[in-house]
Amino acid sequence: KSIVGGEIVSYTQMTDEARQVAEDRMVTAAQTWADAVVAMRFASDSIAEGTIEILAYGTAVKFA
């Protein structure tokens, strides 16, 4: 499918799950002292063929 186009459903599911895990880890880390995360972003990269790395990052803020 990647040659002729179209969605590879299992790959889409894997990336959706990886994004959710990355976001959950970011939120858990921020909850130790922050009130919110702003300017949140995702970044992705392929480490090796058939793999993907997802990074969730943002600025953790504490309200005064």
Side-chain angles (χ1 to χ4, degrees), residues 3-26:
I3 295 172
V4 295
E7 180 182 8
I8 302 172
V9 176
S10 61
Y11 189 77
T12 301
Q13 290 171 342
M14 179 185 67
T15 56
D16 287 346
E17 183 180 341
R19 255 191 304 278
Q20 188 62 55
V21 169
E23 184 177 354
D24 291 346
R25 288 179 180 174
M26 180 192 65

Side-chain angles (χ1 to χ4, degrees), residues 19-53:
R19 255 191 304 278
Q20 188 62 55
V21 169
E23 184 177 354
D24 291 346
R25 288 179 180 174
M26 180 192 65
V27 169
T28 299
Q31 284 177 333
T32 59
W33 68 271
D35 294 317
V37 175
V38 297
M40 190 266 176
R41 300 271 195 264
F42 288 108
S44 63
D45 196 10
S46 180
I47 302 169
E49 189 172 330
T51 66
I52 191 167
E53 173 185 57

